[in-house]
């Protein structure tokens, strides 16, 4: 049981404003997503609908709403974590990544006002128009650049694996998972069958990388849970070394994607099925035990909780329950719902 809190010291150099910028970027993405909800509603109001370009603006806006509320929000928060867990090196590299992603997000936000088909592909719904695709490419380029900076200039996790080192280790595993996802996307793009176009093309393009990407998000979710536990004063029944081992176990299935591309043809039913089972079998390897340990720590300290930490404990509890309910629903899902 660890006596030290799980936390990452906030740096005082350029990494602090860089991390804050990524966080504000993420918050702005949620605001833009909410704005598009209002536009979606307005596009269905008689009379007001005439103010919107094209008859399919409803579906176009839904795509941008989903991408901002999920993909862009998750990616920018990931970049915030990476900025905090790197050494104070290459500030221009870090800000260049932020600028690329920011420009890409602006193009994505502008894309529904241009003609293009809305394609509800899994993980990354898209608009088949040049502005959206250019914006998405620039945004991804910035995120990959931020991940590469975190890979090249990591802060040491520490041989003793104290709680702060465990969090940095978890963040570094998320970097590797995201880079595997980026490699999967590039491999698919280079190998995708020529006869595919439209919805089947984008569904195939993002299928493998989208599944792998979920491992990166899960690793960062666990880092956030542990950081909340430290801030709330929870004492966990697991040692930092054991938690680090669980984080490693949670990241390793992402690397099986390499075998999926070597063993199966891109877009084949065998490869699609592999990625489904990869996430089904590996998605909870670390989240399950760590979530249960956090619930045990929460239960033990719930009665004596200080008033100022109750909001932190409630946030952590409901996040764990939400993730658990979502995983449970996934077990019973059949087909694409």
């Amino acid at each position: 049981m660890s006596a030290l809190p799980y936390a990452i010291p906030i740096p005082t150099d350029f990494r602090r404003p860089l991390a804050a910028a990524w966080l504000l970027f993420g918050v702005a993405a949620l605001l833009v997503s909410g704005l598009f909800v209002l536009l979606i509603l307005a596009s269905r109001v008689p009379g007001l609908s005439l103010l919107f370009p094209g008859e399919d603006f409803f579906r176009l806006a839904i795509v941008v709403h989903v991408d901002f509320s999920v993909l862009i929000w998750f990616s920018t928060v990931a970049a915030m974590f990476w900025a905090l867990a790197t050494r104070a090196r290459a500030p221009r590299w870090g800000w260049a990544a932020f600028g690329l992603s920011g420009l890409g997000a602006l193009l994505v936000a502008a894309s529904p006002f241009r003609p293009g088909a809305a394609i509800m592909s899994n993980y990354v719904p898209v608009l088949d128009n040049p502005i959206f695709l250019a914006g998405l490419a620039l945004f991804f380029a910035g995120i990959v650049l931020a991940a590469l900076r975190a890979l090249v200039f990591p802060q040491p996790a520490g041989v003793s694996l104290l709680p702060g080192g465990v969090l940095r280790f978890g963040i570094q595993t998320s970097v590797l998972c995201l880079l595997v996802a980026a490699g999967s996307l590039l491999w698919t793009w280079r190998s995708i069958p020529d006869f595919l176009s439209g919805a089947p093309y984008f569904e195939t393009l993002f299928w493998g990388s989208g599944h792998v990407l979920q491992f990166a998000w899960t690793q960062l979710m666990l880092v956030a849970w542990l950081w909340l536990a430290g801030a709330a004063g929870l004492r966990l029944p697991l040692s930092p070394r054991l938690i680090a081992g669980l984080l490693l176990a949670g990241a390793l299935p992402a690397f099986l994607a390499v075998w999926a591309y070597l063993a199966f043809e891109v877009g084949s039913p065998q490869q699609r099925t592999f990625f489904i089972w990869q996430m089904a079998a590996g998605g909870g390897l670390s989240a399950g035990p760590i979530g249960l340990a956090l619930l045990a720590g929460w239960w033990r300290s719930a009665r004596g909780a200080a008033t100022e930490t109750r909001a932190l404990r409630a946030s952590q509890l409901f996040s764990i329950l939400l993730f658990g309910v979502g995983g449970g629903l996934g077990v019973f899902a059949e087909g694409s719902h």
Side-chain angles (χ1 to χ4, degrees):
M1 182 177 292
S2 174
L4 295 174
Y6 285 88
I8 297 176
I10 304 299
T12 57
D13 51 44
F14 77 91
R15 291 170 295 174
R16 183 187 182 99
L18 179 60
W22 280 113
L23 178 59
L24 290 175
F25 190 166
V27 173
L30 293 182
L31 292 173
V32 171
S33 173
L35 175 62
F36 271 96
V37 170
L38 298 178
L39 294 177
I40 289 168
L41 295 174
S43 70
R44 290 298 198 187
V45 176
L48 287 179
S49 60
L50 299 176
L51 301 176
F52 294 91
E55 298 179 357
D56 201 30
F57 183 82
F58 178 82
R59 288 172 57 82
L60 302 180
I62 285 179
V63 167
V64 175
H65 160 72
V66 171
D67 282 334
F68 268 95
S69 62
V70 180
L71 178 69
I72 294 179
W73 159 246
F74 282 6
S75 300
T76 50
V77 172
M80 177 203 72
F81 277 110
W82 300 336
L84 292 175
T86 57
R87 286 179 283 161
R89 302 283 296 277
R92 292 183 179 178
W93 187 345
W95 285 110
F98 178 83
L100 276 175
S101 290
L103 178 59
L106 289 174
L107 290 176
V108 170
S111 62
F113 300 94
R114 302 293 298 173
I119 298 174
M120 304 299 179
S121 46
N122 276 293
Y123 296 110
V124 186
V126 300
L127 302 183
D128 196 2
N129 72 37
I131 294 179
F132 180 92
L133 296 176
L136 191 65
L138 284 174
F139 179 80
F140 273 139
I143 295 300
V144 170
L145 189 60
L148 288 172
R149 178 179 172 275
L151 179 69
V152 174
F153 303 111
Q155 284 188 11
V159 178
S160 61
L161 284 179
L162 295 174
V166 171
L167 294 189
R168 288 194 292 273
F169 177 73
I171 293 171
Q172 289 159 11
T173 61
S174 76
V175 172
L176 295 175
C177 290
L178 184 130
L179 291 176
V180 171
S184 300
L185 178 63
L186 182 60
W187 196 327
T188 303
W189 179 69
R190 293 292 302 273
S191 307
I192 197 166
D194 294 335
F195 60 83
L196 291 180
S197 62
Y201 175 88
F202 289 107
E203 180 73 9
T204 302
L205 180 64
F206 295 118
W207 184 259
S209 57
H211 278 81
V212 176
L213 202 55
Q214 308 316 303
F215 289 93
W217 304 154
T218 302
Q219 293 297 98
L220 290 173
M221 178 192 69
L222 297 176
V223 169
W225 284 358
L226 291 167
W227 202 339
L228 275 173
L234 270 64
R235 294 174 64 87
L236 305 185
L238 300 178
S239 69
R241 285 183 178 273
L242 181 54
I243 290 180
L246 289 171
L247 288 171
L248 179 61
L252 286 177
F255 294 87
L256 293 175
V258 178
W259 183 80
Y261 281 92
L262 292 173
F264 306 117
E265 184 180 353
V266 168
S268 66
Q270 295 85 352
Q271 191 187 67
R272 289 179 62 86
T273 302
F274 172 86
F275 281 115
I276 292 173
W277 282 106
Q278 176 203 33
M279 193 165 66
L285 287 179
S286 56
I290 292 176
L292 290 174
L294 289 166
L295 288 176
W298 183 90
W299 180 260
R300 291 178 180 180
S301 57
R303 292 185 178 180
T307 303
E308 58 269 19
T309 64
R310 287 179 181 173
L312 299 176
R313 292 165 186 260
S315 299
Q316 183 198 65
L317 174 64
F318 283 103
S319 179
I320 294 172
L321 293 177
L322 180 64
F323 185 81
V325 169
L329 291 174
V331 171
F332 298 103
E334 294 183 4
S336 180
H337 297 307

